[in-house]
Structure formats: structure tokens, C-alpha cells
Amino acid sequence: MIKHNIRMFAFTIIGFAFFVYAILFLFTQNIQSIDFHKAISNISTTITINIIVWTFFISYAWKWKIFYSWLVQMPDLSGEWEGIIKSNWNGGQLETIKTEVKIEQSFFHIQVRIKTTESQSYSIGASFDIDKERGINQLFYSFLNTPKSGIRERSSIHYGSTLLAFEGYKVEKMEGEYWTSRETTGEITLTKKNVA
């Protein structure tokens, strides 16, 4: 699980609300004769502005570098990746399989799709495990793998889990391992594609 800095989120939300209200108050009030009706109506305007700003943050701005570390704990992994899987499924021998991965990520959700020449996998649950104190930066997800119909005699549909480690916020490479309900395991290495 990500250890979000809840105190920082609270201070940021409350601080921004007070800042917005103060600006509205200064622009709509005459200091010599305060209009209390207008002052109260500024509260609803402040709430509306905060909802718009935080909706924008959750939709887009959380990816901006300015928020990394002090407010946002997880990197943006969305995009296309390529790499290799080393699997022991074929009689225990480590076999190298080329793979393509697409990651779609929002502030609250992450979806991982993996494609090889023989199968496709979709994550059915994913979560970050980020703990700065222990030096852990990992993406963990469970998946359903569906091999092509022509090879299901030797490669059945199965579930599995993957653990990928990464460093920092500008992630270009991830490495880890996976294990499946077929009692197979393997290693996975991914590199982010540079899409022009």
C-alpha cells in the first residue's frame, strides 16, 4: 500500500480553501463596511472552486513533477512498454518470451495489459507498494492470462500475480517476477518505449 502523506493532503486542501476565500473576500468586500451576506455566499463559491481544482488535479495535474514526493507518492507508469519474460513453464527450462505491455493509469486506478505472440493478459487488480522508510517501490497486480485458442491444449487459461520493482518518479525500467495458478514462475524485465 502507498503511505500517502494524509496530513499534507489535509493541509493542502484546507490551505487552498482559505487562500481562495481570502482572495474572494478581498475582491468582494469593502473593509470599512463588511457585507456578511456576501461573505457567507463566498463560502459556496470557495467550495465550488475547490471542487473544480481538485477534480482537475485528480484527472490531470497529479502527473506534474511539481507534486511528486511531497504530495503524490506514486509515479506515472502509463504508456507502452516492451520487454522479455523468462518463464519455466516448458518443463522447467527458462524460456525467453518477448512481450508488449500497455499501462493505463489514473490517480485512483491502474490497468496492465500484456501481449505476447501466444497470449494476452489483463490485470484484474493492481496496487502500488511504496514505502520510503523501507526503500520499497513496487507495482503488484493479479492477472488473467488467455492463450490463443490454437494452443490451449498445451497452455490453458490461468490466473497469476506479478511484482515489478522500479526506482524514482521518472521510471524507464521495471524488473520483477511472476507466478501463476499453473504452478509456473518467471522473471520479467520491461523498458518504456519512447513514443515520439
Side-chain angles (χ1 to χ4, degrees), residues 70-102:
W70 69 276
L71 190 61
V72 176
Q73 302 298 310
M74 62 202 175
D76 177 19
L77 301 180
S78 57
E80 295 184 358
W81 300 70
E82 59 186 357
I84 57 170
I85 297 171
K86 291 182 179 178
S87 173
N88 71 347
W89 76 275
N90 190 12
Q93 299 290 330
L94 281 180
E95 183 176 332
T96 301
I97 303 166
K98 288 185 179 180
T99 185
E100 293 181 1
V101 177
K102 184 175 182 181

PDB file of all heavy atoms in Angstrom, residues 70-102:
ATOM      1  N   TRP A  70       6.244  15.208  -2.296  1.00  0.00           N
ATOM      2  CA  TRP A  70       5.618  15.848  -1.133  1.00  0.00           C
ATOM      3  C   TRP A  70       4.104  15.655  -1.106  1.00  0.00           C
ATOM      4  O   TRP A  70       3.508  15.648  -0.038  1.00  0.00           O
ATOM      5  CB  TRP A  70       5.967  17.336  -1.074  1.00  0.00           C
ATOM      6  CG  TRP A  70       5.348  18.169  -2.163  1.00  0.00           C
ATOM      7  CD1 TRP A  70       5.840  18.344  -3.426  1.00  0.00           C
ATOM      8  CD2 TRP A  70       4.140  18.926  -2.090  1.00  0.00           C
ATOM      9  NE1 TRP A  70       4.995  19.159  -4.142  1.00  0.00           N
ATOM     10  CE2 TRP A  70       3.956  19.545  -3.352  1.00  0.00           C
ATOM     11  CE3 TRP A  70       3.196  19.149  -1.091  1.00  0.00           C
ATOM     12  CZ2 TRP A  70       2.862  20.360  -3.637  1.00  0.00           C
ATOM     13  CZ3 TRP A  70       2.115  19.964  -1.372  1.00  0.00           C
ATOM     14  CH2 TRP A  70       1.959  20.566  -2.613  1.00  0.00           C
ATOM     15  N   LEU A  71       3.473  15.461  -2.290  1.00  0.00           N
ATOM     16  CA  LEU A  71       2.021  15.283  -2.318  1.00  0.00           C
ATOM     17  C   LEU A  71       1.625  13.972  -3.001  1.00  0.00           C
ATOM     18  O   LEU A  71       0.744  13.267  -2.537  1.00  0.00           O
ATOM     19  CB  LEU A  71       1.358  16.465  -3.019  1.00  0.00           C
ATOM     20  CG  LEU A  71      -0.160  16.552  -2.921  1.00  0.00           C
ATOM     21  CD1 LEU A  71      -0.606  16.683  -1.463  1.00  0.00           C
ATOM     22  CD2 LEU A  71      -0.695  17.729  -3.732  1.00  0.00           C
ATOM     23  N   VAL A  72       2.267  13.648  -4.112  1.00  0.00           N
ATOM     24  CA  VAL A  72       1.971  12.420  -4.865  1.00  0.00           C
ATOM     25  C   VAL A  72       3.109  11.436  -4.654  1.00  0.00           C
ATOM     26  O   VAL A  72       4.263  11.737  -4.940  1.00  0.00           O
ATOM     27  CB  VAL A  72       1.792  12.726  -6.379  1.00  0.00           C
ATOM     28  CG1 VAL A  72       1.580  11.440  -7.155  1.00  0.00           C
ATOM     29  CG2 VAL A  72       0.639  13.694  -6.590  1.00  0.00           C
ATOM     30  N   GLN A  73       2.777  10.246  -4.147  1.00  0.00           N
ATOM     31  CA  GLN A  73       3.795   9.246  -3.805  1.00  0.00           C
ATOM     32  C   GLN A  73       4.117   8.279  -4.942  1.00  0.00           C
ATOM     33  O   GLN A  73       5.150   7.637  -4.934  1.00  0.00           O
ATOM     34  CB  GLN A  73       3.323   8.439  -2.588  1.00  0.00           C
ATOM     35  CG  GLN A  73       3.031   9.290  -1.371  1.00  0.00           C
ATOM     36  CD  GLN A  73       4.236  10.037  -0.866  1.00  0.00           C
ATOM     37  OE1 GLN A  73       5.293   9.453  -0.681  1.00  0.00           O
ATOM     38  NE2 GLN A  73       4.099  11.332  -0.666  1.00  0.00           N
ATOM     39  N   MET A  74       3.201   8.168  -5.934  1.00  0.00           N
ATOM     40  CA  MET A  74       3.372   7.151  -6.975  1.00  0.00           C
ATOM     41  C   MET A  74       3.784   7.804  -8.287  1.00  0.00           C
ATOM     42  O   MET A  74       3.369   8.925  -8.592  1.00  0.00           O
ATOM     43  CB  MET A  74       2.061   6.385  -7.174  1.00  0.00           C
ATOM     44  CG  MET A  74       0.934   7.264  -7.649  1.00  0.00           C
ATOM     45  SD  MET A  74      -0.668   6.570  -7.302  1.00  0.00           S
ATOM     46  CE  MET A  74      -1.727   7.918  -7.851  1.00  0.00           C
ATOM     47  N   PRO A  75       4.604   7.109  -9.090  1.00  0.00           N
ATOM     48  CA  PRO A  75       4.965   7.644 -10.401  1.00  0.00           C
ATOM     49  C   PRO A  75       3.862   7.375 -11.421  1.00  0.00           C
ATOM     50  O   PRO A  75       2.970   6.557 -11.190  1.00  0.00           O
ATOM     51  CB  PRO A  75       6.220   6.843 -10.743  1.00  0.00           C
ATOM     52  CG  PRO A  75       5.993   5.526 -10.078  1.00  0.00           C
ATOM     53  CD  PRO A  75       5.262   5.846  -8.795  1.00  0.00           C
ATOM     54  N   ASP A  76       3.938   8.068 -12.533  1.00  0.00           N
ATOM     55  CA  ASP A  76       3.023   7.826 -13.644  1.00  0.00           C
ATOM     56  C   ASP A  76       3.661   6.771 -14.549  1.00  0.00           C
ATOM     57  O   ASP A  76       4.629   7.055 -15.252  1.00  0.00           O
ATOM     58  CB  ASP A  76       2.771   9.127 -14.409  1.00  0.00           C
ATOM     59  CG  ASP A  76       1.888   8.931 -15.625  1.00  0.00           C
ATOM     60  OD1 ASP A  76       1.185   7.891 -15.687  1.00  0.00           O
ATOM     61  OD2 ASP A  76       1.897   9.789 -16.513  1.00  0.00           O
ATOM     62  N   LEU A  77       3.124   5.565 -14.535  1.00  0.00           N
ATOM     63  CA  LEU A  77       3.667   4.462 -15.342  1.00  0.00           C
ATOM     64  C   LEU A  77       2.923   4.273 -16.651  1.00  0.00           C
ATOM     65  O   LEU A  77       3.251   3.386 -17.426  1.00  0.00           O
ATOM     66  CB  LEU A  77       3.606   3.152 -14.541  1.00  0.00           C
ATOM     67  CG  LEU A  77       4.364   3.120 -13.208  1.00  0.00           C
ATOM     68  CD1 LEU A  77       4.192   1.760 -12.544  1.00  0.00           C
ATOM     69  CD2 LEU A  77       5.838   3.444 -13.403  1.00  0.00           C
ATOM     70  N   SER A  78       1.906   5.096 -16.894  1.00  0.00           N
ATOM     71  CA  SER A  78       1.080   4.895 -18.086  1.00  0.00           C
ATOM     72  C   SER A  78       1.914   5.050 -19.360  1.00  0.00           C
ATOM     73  O   SER A  78       2.852   5.829 -19.423  1.00  0.00           O
ATOM     74  CB  SER A  78      -0.089   5.889 -18.096  1.00  0.00           C
ATOM     75  OG  SER A  78       0.387   7.219 -18.028  1.00  0.00           O
ATOM     76  N   GLY A  79       1.557   4.234 -20.349  1.00  0.00           N
ATOM     77  CA  GLY A  79       2.267   4.244 -21.621  1.00  0.00           C
ATOM     78  C   GLY A  79       2.520   2.839 -22.123  1.00  0.00           C
ATOM     79  O   GLY A  79       1.971   1.863 -21.605  1.00  0.00           O
ATOM     80  N   GLU A  80       3.364   2.747 -23.130  1.00  0.00           N
ATOM     81  CA  GLU A  80       3.687   1.454 -23.738  1.00  0.00           C
ATOM     82  C   GLU A  80       5.083   1.013 -23.317  1.00  0.00           C
ATOM     83  O   GLU A  80       6.019   1.811 -23.303  1.00  0.00           O
ATOM     84  CB  GLU A  80       3.576   1.553 -25.262  1.00  0.00           C
ATOM     85  CG  GLU A  80       2.149   1.833 -25.722  1.00  0.00           C
ATOM     86  CD  GLU A  80       2.020   1.838 -27.240  1.00  0.00           C
ATOM     87  OE1 GLU A  80       3.047   1.664 -27.930  1.00  0.00           O
ATOM     88  OE2 GLU A  80       0.896   2.022 -27.726  1.00  0.00           O
ATOM     89  N   TRP A  81       5.182  -0.266 -23.010  1.00  0.00           N
ATOM     90  CA  TRP A  81       6.427  -0.869 -22.543  1.00  0.00           C
ATOM     91  C   TRP A  81       6.727  -2.098 -23.386  1.00  0.00           C
ATOM     92  O   TRP A  81       5.823  -2.702 -23.964  1.00  0.00           O
ATOM     93  CB  TRP A  81       6.313  -1.285 -21.076  1.00  0.00           C
ATOM     94  CG  TRP A  81       6.015  -0.168 -20.125  1.00  0.00           C
ATOM     95  CD1 TRP A  81       4.834   0.518 -20.009  1.00  0.00           C
ATOM     96  CD2 TRP A  81       6.891   0.399 -19.161  1.00  0.00           C
ATOM     97  NE1 TRP A  81       4.934   1.474 -19.030  1.00  0.00           N
ATOM     98  CE2 TRP A  81       6.185   1.421 -18.488  1.00  0.00           C
ATOM     99  CE3 TRP A  81       8.218   0.133 -18.790  1.00  0.00           C
ATOM    100  CZ2 TRP A  81       6.752   2.173 -17.475  1.00  0.00           C
ATOM    101  CZ3 TRP A  81       8.781   0.881 -17.766  1.00  0.00           C
ATOM    102  CH2 TRP A  81       8.058   1.894 -17.124  1.00  0.00           C
ATOM    103  N   GLU A  82       7.988  -2.466 -23.455  1.00  0.00           N
ATOM    104  CA  GLU A  82       8.383  -3.706 -24.129  1.00  0.00           C
ATOM    105  C   GLU A  82       9.432  -4.398 -23.271  1.00  0.00           C
ATOM    106  O   GLU A  82      10.125  -3.759 -22.484  1.00  0.00           O
ATOM    107  CB  GLU A  82       8.935  -3.419 -25.529  1.00  0.00           C
ATOM    108  CG  GLU A  82      10.147  -2.517 -25.554  1.00  0.00           C
ATOM    109  CD  GLU A  82      10.575  -2.143 -26.959  1.00  0.00           C
ATOM    110  OE1 GLU A  82       9.951  -2.649 -27.911  1.00  0.00           O
ATOM    111  OE2 GLU A  82      11.516  -1.345 -27.097  1.00  0.00           O
ATOM    112  N   GLY A  83       9.509  -5.706 -23.432  1.00  0.00           N
ATOM    113  CA  GLY A  83      10.486  -6.417 -22.620  1.00  0.00           C
ATOM    114  C   GLY A  83      10.481  -7.900 -22.875  1.00  0.00           C
ATOM    115  O   GLY A  83       9.994  -8.378 -23.911  1.00  0.00           O
ATOM    116  N   ILE A  84      11.035  -8.609 -21.921  1.00  0.00           N
ATOM    117  CA  ILE A  84      11.126 -10.068 -22.037  1.00  0.00           C
ATOM    118  C   ILE A  84      10.636 -10.733 -20.754  1.00  0.00           C
ATOM    119  O   ILE A  84      10.755 -10.180 -19.661  1.00  0.00           O
ATOM    120  CB  ILE A  84      12.561 -10.535 -22.346  1.00  0.00           C
ATOM    121  CG1 ILE A  84      13.541 -10.046 -21.274  1.00  0.00           C
ATOM    122  CG2 ILE A  84      12.997 -10.103 -23.727  1.00  0.00           C
ATOM    123  CD1 ILE A  84      14.914 -10.679 -21.389  1.00  0.00           C
ATOM    124  N   ILE A  85      10.055 -11.902 -20.943  1.00  0.00           N
ATOM    125  CA  ILE A  85       9.644 -12.752 -19.834  1.00  0.00           C
ATOM    126  C   ILE A  85      10.485 -14.018 -19.909  1.00  0.00           C
ATOM    127  O   ILE A  85      10.622 -14.610 -20.982  1.00  0.00           O
ATOM    128  CB  ILE A  85       8.146 -13.122 -19.941  1.00  0.00           C
ATOM    129  CG1 ILE A  85       7.281 -11.867 -19.839  1.00  0.00           C
ATOM    130  CG2 ILE A  85       7.752 -14.126 -18.869  1.00  0.00           C
ATOM    131  CD1 ILE A  85       5.816 -12.114 -20.143  1.00  0.00           C
ATOM    132  N   LYS A  86      11.045 -14.426 -18.799  1.00  0.00           N
ATOM    133  CA  LYS A  86      11.748 -15.700 -18.717  1.00  0.00           C
ATOM    134  C   LYS A  86      10.891 -16.628 -17.879  1.00  0.00           C
ATOM    135  O   LYS A  86      10.769 -16.447 -16.673  1.00  0.00           O
ATOM    136  CB  LYS A  86      13.138 -15.529 -18.112  1.00  0.00           C
ATOM    137  CG  LYS A  86      14.101 -14.767 -19.008  1.00  0.00           C
ATOM    138  CD  LYS A  86      15.476 -14.671 -18.385  1.00  0.00           C
ATOM    139  CE  LYS A  86      16.436 -13.930 -19.311  1.00  0.00           C
ATOM    140  NZ  LYS A  86      17.786 -13.784 -18.703  1.00  0.00           N
ATOM    141  N   SER A  87      10.292 -17.621 -18.531  1.00  0.00           N
ATOM    142  CA  SER A  87       9.323 -18.492 -17.873  1.00  0.00           C
ATOM    143  C   SER A  87       9.840 -19.925 -17.784  1.00  0.00           C
ATOM    144  O   SER A  87      10.531 -20.411 -18.689  1.00  0.00           O
ATOM    145  CB  SER A  87       8.014 -18.485 -18.662  1.00  0.00           C
ATOM    146  OG  SER A  87       7.114 -19.429 -18.146  1.00  0.00           O
ATOM    147  N   ASN A  88       9.467 -20.616 -16.706  1.00  0.00           N
ATOM    148  CA  ASN A  88       9.860 -22.023 -16.551  1.00  0.00           C
ATOM    149  C   ASN A  88       8.704 -22.971 -16.904  1.00  0.00           C
ATOM    150  O   ASN A  88       8.705 -24.126 -16.510  1.00  0.00           O
ATOM    151  CB  ASN A  88      10.334 -22.290 -15.122  1.00  0.00           C
ATOM    152  CG  ASN A  88       9.190 -22.263 -14.109  1.00  0.00           C
ATOM    153  OD1 ASN A  88       8.079 -21.824 -14.410  1.00  0.00           O
ATOM    154  ND2 ASN A  88       9.460 -22.721 -12.900  1.00  0.00           N
ATOM    155  N   TRP A  89       7.711 -22.479 -17.655  1.00  0.00           N
ATOM    156  CA  TRP A  89       6.507 -23.281 -17.920  1.00  0.00           C
ATOM    157  C   TRP A  89       6.799 -24.513 -18.791  1.00  0.00           C
ATOM    158  O   TRP A  89       6.102 -25.501 -18.707  1.00  0.00           O
ATOM    159  CB  TRP A  89       5.429 -22.413 -18.594  1.00  0.00           C
ATOM    160  CG  TRP A  89       5.684 -22.140 -20.047  1.00  0.00           C
ATOM    161  CD1 TRP A  89       6.449 -21.165 -20.587  1.00  0.00           C
ATOM    162  CD2 TRP A  89       5.173 -22.881 -21.152  1.00  0.00           C
ATOM    163  NE1 TRP A  89       6.455 -21.223 -21.946  1.00  0.00           N
ATOM    164  CE2 TRP A  89       5.673 -22.286 -22.327  1.00  0.00           C
ATOM    165  CE3 TRP A  89       4.334 -24.004 -21.264  1.00  0.00           C
ATOM    166  CZ2 TRP A  89       5.373 -22.754 -23.598  1.00  0.00           C
ATOM    167  CZ3 TRP A  89       4.039 -24.469 -22.540  1.00  0.00           C
ATOM    168  CH2 TRP A  89       4.554 -23.841 -23.679  1.00  0.00           C
ATOM    169  N   ASN A  90       7.831 -24.455 -19.607  1.00  0.00           N
ATOM    170  CA  ASN A  90       8.112 -25.545 -20.544  1.00  0.00           C
ATOM    171  C   ASN A  90       9.102 -26.531 -19.935  1.00  0.00           C
ATOM    172  O   ASN A  90      10.282 -26.521 -20.239  1.00  0.00           O
ATOM    173  CB  ASN A  90       8.643 -24.977 -21.864  1.00  0.00           C
ATOM    174  CG  ASN A  90       8.709 -26.033 -22.954  1.00  0.00           C
ATOM    175  OD1 ASN A  90       8.173 -27.124 -22.814  1.00  0.00           O
ATOM    176  ND2 ASN A  90       9.371 -25.700 -24.041  1.00  0.00           N
ATOM    177  N   GLY A  91       8.616 -27.376 -19.045  1.00  0.00           N
ATOM    178  CA  GLY A  91       9.461 -28.429 -18.466  1.00  0.00           C
ATOM    179  C   GLY A  91      10.520 -27.917 -17.518  1.00  0.00           C
ATOM    180  O   GLY A  91      11.533 -28.569 -17.310  1.00  0.00           O
ATOM    181  N   GLY A  92      10.322 -26.723 -16.966  1.00  0.00           N
ATOM    182  CA  GLY A  92      11.281 -26.183 -16.011  1.00  0.00           C
ATOM    183  C   GLY A  92      12.410 -25.403 -16.639  1.00  0.00           C
ATOM    184  O   GLY A  92      13.189 -24.760 -15.941  1.00  0.00           O
ATOM    185  N   GLN A  93      12.532 -25.453 -17.961  1.00  0.00           N
ATOM    186  CA  GLN A  93      13.580 -24.701 -18.641  1.00  0.00           C
ATOM    187  C   GLN A  93      13.152 -23.245 -18.779  1.00  0.00           C
ATOM    188  O   GLN A  93      12.019 -22.957 -19.134  1.00  0.00           O
ATOM    189  CB  GLN A  93      13.825 -25.284 -20.042  1.00  0.00           C
ATOM    190  CG  GLN A  93      14.283 -26.728 -20.045  1.00  0.00           C
ATOM    191  CD  GLN A  93      15.698 -26.874 -19.523  1.00  0.00           C
ATOM    192  OE1 GLN A  93      16.521 -25.980 -19.672  1.00  0.00           O
ATOM    193  NE2 GLN A  93      15.984 -28.019 -18.915  1.00  0.00           N
ATOM    194  N   LEU A  94      14.058 -22.312 -18.484  1.00  0.00           N
ATOM    195  CA  LEU A  94      13.748 -20.895 -18.630  1.00  0.00           C
ATOM    196  C   LEU A  94      13.709 -20.534 -20.115  1.00  0.00           C
ATOM    197  O   LEU A  94      14.711 -20.630 -20.814  1.00  0.00           O
ATOM    198  CB  LEU A  94      14.783 -20.034 -17.908  1.00  0.00           C
ATOM    199  CG  LEU A  94      14.636 -19.916 -16.390  1.00  0.00           C
ATOM    200  CD1 LEU A  94      15.735 -19.043 -15.820  1.00  0.00           C
ATOM    201  CD2 LEU A  94      13.280 -19.342 -16.019  1.00  0.00           C
ATOM    202  N   GLU A  95      12.526 -20.159 -20.574  1.00  0.00           N
ATOM    203  CA  GLU A  95      12.337 -19.805 -21.973  1.00  0.00           C
ATOM    204  C   GLU A  95      12.067 -18.312 -22.077  1.00  0.00           C
ATOM    205  O   GLU A  95      11.258 -17.753 -21.351  1.00  0.00           O
ATOM    206  CB  GLU A  95      11.147 -20.586 -22.555  1.00  0.00           C
ATOM    207  CG  GLU A  95      10.925 -20.331 -24.024  1.00  0.00           C
ATOM    208  CD  GLU A  95       9.804 -21.190 -24.589  1.00  0.00           C
ATOM    209  OE1 GLU A  95       9.578 -22.294 -24.046  1.00  0.00           O
ATOM    210  OE2 GLU A  95       9.169 -20.754 -25.544  1.00  0.00           O
ATOM    211  N   THR A  96      12.780 -17.635 -22.990  1.00  0.00           N
ATOM    212  CA  THR A  96      12.637 -16.193 -23.161  1.00  0.00           C
ATOM    213  C   THR A  96      11.492 -15.888 -24.109  1.00  0.00           C
ATOM    214  O   THR A  96      11.437 -16.410 -25.226  1.00  0.00           O
ATOM    215  CB  THR A  96      13.946 -15.574 -23.691  1.00  0.00           C
ATOM    216  OG1 THR A  96      15.002 -15.847 -22.762  1.00  0.00           O
ATOM    217  CG2 THR A  96      13.806 -14.071 -23.859  1.00  0.00           C
ATOM    218  N   ILE A  97      10.588 -15.036 -23.661  1.00  0.00           N
ATOM    219  CA  ILE A  97       9.411 -14.662 -24.460  1.00  0.00           C
ATOM    220  C   ILE A  97       9.371 -13.139 -24.563  1.00  0.00           C
ATOM    221  O   ILE A  97       9.409 -12.428 -23.546  1.00  0.00           O
ATOM    222  CB  ILE A  97       8.109 -15.155 -23.781  1.00  0.00           C
ATOM    223  CG1 ILE A  97       8.167 -16.675 -23.560  1.00  0.00           C
ATOM    224  CG2 ILE A  97       6.896 -14.762 -24.600  1.00  0.00           C
ATOM    225  CD1 ILE A  97       7.102 -17.192 -22.605  1.00  0.00           C
ATOM    226  N   LYS A  98       9.292 -12.621 -25.784  1.00  0.00           N
ATOM    227  CA  LYS A  98       9.154 -11.171 -25.971  1.00  0.00           C
ATOM    228  C   LYS A  98       7.732 -10.756 -25.629  1.00  0.00           C
ATOM    229  O   LYS A  98       6.779 -11.483 -25.914  1.00  0.00           O
ATOM    230  CB  LYS A  98       9.479 -10.780 -27.412  1.00  0.00           C
ATOM    231  CG  LYS A  98      10.954 -10.871 -27.754  1.00  0.00           C
ATOM    232  CD  LYS A  98      11.223 -10.348 -29.148  1.00  0.00           C
ATOM    233  CE  LYS A  98      12.706 -10.408 -29.470  1.00  0.00           C
ATOM    234  NZ  LYS A  98      12.997  -9.901 -30.834  1.00  0.00           N
ATOM    235  N   THR A  99       7.603  -9.578 -25.028  1.00  0.00           N
ATOM    236  CA  THR A  99       6.282  -9.117 -24.611  1.00  0.00           C
ATOM    237  C   THR A  99       6.103  -7.625 -24.852  1.00  0.00           C
ATOM    238  O   THR A  99       7.082  -6.869 -24.869  1.00  0.00           O
ATOM    239  CB  THR A  99       6.045  -9.444 -23.116  1.00  0.00           C
ATOM    240  OG1 THR A  99       4.718  -9.098 -22.771  1.00  0.00           O
ATOM    241  CG2 THR A  99       6.997  -8.666 -22.230  1.00  0.00           C
ATOM    242  N   GLU A 100       4.859  -7.236 -25.037  1.00  0.00           N
ATOM    243  CA  GLU A 100       4.490  -5.823 -25.125  1.00  0.00           C
ATOM    244  C   GLU A 100       3.471  -5.545 -24.025  1.00  0.00           C
ATOM    245  O   GLU A 100       2.553  -6.334 -23.803  1.00  0.00           O
ATOM    246  CB  GLU A 100       3.890  -5.500 -26.493  1.00  0.00           C
ATOM    247  CG  GLU A 100       4.884  -5.615 -27.624  1.00  0.00           C
ATOM    248  CD  GLU A 100       4.266  -5.267 -28.966  1.00  0.00           C
ATOM    249  OE1 GLU A 100       3.067  -4.922 -28.999  1.00  0.00           O
ATOM    250  OE2 GLU A 100       4.991  -5.325 -29.967  1.00  0.00           O
ATOM    251  N   VAL A 101       3.643  -4.425 -23.343  1.00  0.00           N
ATOM    252  CA  VAL A 101       2.787  -4.082 -22.209  1.00  0.00           C
ATOM    253  C   VAL A 101       2.223  -2.677 -22.401  1.00  0.00           C
ATOM    254  O   VAL A 101       2.942  -1.766 -22.817  1.00  0.00           O
ATOM    255  CB  VAL A 101       3.583  -4.151 -20.883  1.00  0.00           C
ATOM    256  CG1 VAL A 101       2.727  -3.725 -19.708  1.00  0.00           C
ATOM    257  CG2 VAL A 101       4.138  -5.556 -20.667  1.00  0.00           C
ATOM    258  N   LYS A 102       0.943  -2.540 -22.085  1.00  0.00           N
ATOM    259  CA  LYS A 102       0.310  -1.224 -22.090  1.00  0.00           C
ATOM    260  C   LYS A 102      -0.257  -0.974 -20.697  1.00  0.00           C
ATOM    261  O   LYS A 102      -1.007  -1.790 -20.169  1.00  0.00           O
ATOM    262  CB  LYS A 102      -0.803  -1.148 -23.136  1.00  0.00           C
ATOM    263  CG  LYS A 102      -1.417   0.239 -23.247  1.00  0.00           C
ATOM    264  CD  LYS A 102      -2.419   0.316 -24.378  1.00  0.00           C
ATOM    265  CE  LYS A 102      -2.984   1.732 -24.506  1.00  0.00           C
ATOM    266  NZ  LYS A 102      -3.980   1.841 -25.591  1.00  0.00           N
TER     267      LYS A 102
END
